Amino acid sequence: MAAYDQAKRLYERLVLNGQEQLEADLAALCRCKASVHEASDDFPGALAEYDQAIAIGERLVNQQGHCELASNLVMAYLSKANWVYSQGNPRAAAALCDRAIAAADRLINQEGHGELVNHLAVAYMNKAAAISFLGDNQGAAALYDRGIAIQEWLVNAAGRRELDGALAAAHMSKATAVCSQGDLRGAKTLYNQTIEILGRLVNQAGCRELANGLAQAYLGMGMVLLALGDKVGSLPFYNWAIAIRERLVNQEGRCELANDLAGDYAAKAGAFAARGEYLEATRTSSATIVPRGSGRNSGAWLWGRSAAAP
């Protein structure tokens, strides 16, 4: 932090002395410094740095016409939105996403900045997550549709295959929203799409970092099938989720996923109970005991800063 403070003082002094061409670097430094405050759980410090980065970016882009810096401004909005959401303020996050959407939409459609297209998709989906948390699942589903449509075009037409994982996460997030509306068949379709993409990425392309997402998709599909009355068809999906997370927890040391693994076993026990197989339900539920000190990786906010790479 001391190094960042010293660098920031130097940049601010140079800018005040007339080297205004360094303002963009100062804004970028503020964003980086905000992330350090985040890591230290310094909420006021992070907000102050994000606010300064945004203020500089808005002046450079909106008032001085430096559209080449538009990506940085939109990312500043999204980074701050991510932070305030993680601190329990989804309303503020949604408002920041609105600012990102407005800026990206204008710069894409009026200034031709195609590099911001994925930023726009991410902003739609971040706002969807925020308003879904606030209970507006119908509005969230519509926003997910916009983001998904953009990312499907980027992946399938523009060849941005590196966005496949983000597209899968968008399908899964929308599945959660439509489930909350009671559209189980719609959720089933979305989970199928998620599993198709993530299964290919994990099992064929070797993207092991997406394995837990695939496990979550299997779990979601199992729960949807059970809710639709398919008591037999749900069990393989629970088993696949358990197999992945057993490996992640017990072989790869991902102790933070122990609660998720316990949840997989609990869901499978519920499926046995729904079939009247209470002995199997009891045996399965015994595996839901979680070691002390393990945590839960909820993944509620799926779209961090890295998801908006141009």
Side-chain angles (χ1 to χ4, degrees), residues 217-305:
Y218 283 141
L219 175 66
M221 177 63 91
M223 296 175 74
V224 165
L225 289 175
L226 185 60
L228 286 169
D230 189 353
K231 300 174 185 178
V232 175
S234 65
L235 281 174
F237 289 94
Y238 294 132
N239 288 334
W240 292 328
I242 288 169
I244 292 172
R245 284 185 171 138
E246 285 276 13
R247 185 183 67 252
L248 291 173
V249 173
N250 297 324
Q251 296 180 28
E252 299 183 18
R254 295 283 303 277
C255 295
E256 77 277 7
L257 299 179
N259 269 324
D260 297 280
L261 176 59
D264 297 338
Y265 277 112
K268 182 180 177 182
F272 277 126
R275 296 172 57 178
E277 298 180 34
Y278 299 111
L279 180 58
E280 283 299 324
T282 301
R283 290 172 177 167
T284 304
S285 65
S286 65
T288 64
I289 300 172
V290 179
R292 184 183 299 274
S294 58
R296 182 168 185 80
N297 183 15
S298 64
W301 184 261
L302 295 175
W303 312 103
R305 290 180 292 280

Side-chain angles (χ1 to χ4, degrees), residues 71-95:
S71 175
N72 294 338
L73 174 59
V74 175
M75 280 301 301
Y77 288 137
L78 293 175
S79 295
K80 183 181 176 185
N82 186 53
W83 173 239
V84 298
Y85 183 92
S86 72
Q87 298 301 302
N89 194 344
R91 292 188 188 280

Side-chain angles (χ1 to χ4, degrees), residues 4 13 37 50 52 57-58 76 112 118 136 177 194 209 211 226 229-230 251 253 272-273 286 307:
Y4 275 112
R13 185 165 62 249
H37 285 285
Y50 280 131
Q52 186 173 358
E58 287 179 335
N118 188 51
D136 184 5
T194 304
E209 72 277 7
L226 185 60
D230 189 353
Q251 296 180 28
F272 277 126
S286 65

Side-chain angles (χ1 to χ4, degrees), residues 154-240:
L154 287 169
V155 169
N156 299 320
R160 296 284 302 275
R161 305 306 306 186
E162 76 276 10
L163 297 175
D164 264 334
L167 177 59
H171 285 308
M172 186 154 53
S173 296
K174 185 187 173 188
T176 301
V178 300
C179 267
S180 299
Q181 294 179 269
D183 182 7
L184 296 175
R185 297 196 181 278
K188 178 182 175 182
T189 298
L190 288 160
Y191 278 122
N192 266 327
Q193 292 171 320
T194 304
I195 290 167
E196 179 183 356
I197 296 171
L198 291 182
R200 171 171 49 81
L201 292 173
V202 173
N203 299 320
Q204 297 177 26
C207 300
R208 304 304 304 170
E209 72 277 7
L210 299 176
N212 187 55
L214 179 58
Q216 193 64 32
Y218 283 141
L219 175 66
M221 177 63 91
M223 296 175 74
V224 165
L225 289 175
L226 185 60
L228 286 169
D230 189 353
K231 300 174 185 178
V232 175
S234 65
L235 281 174
F237 289 94
Y238 294 132
N239 288 334
W240 292 328

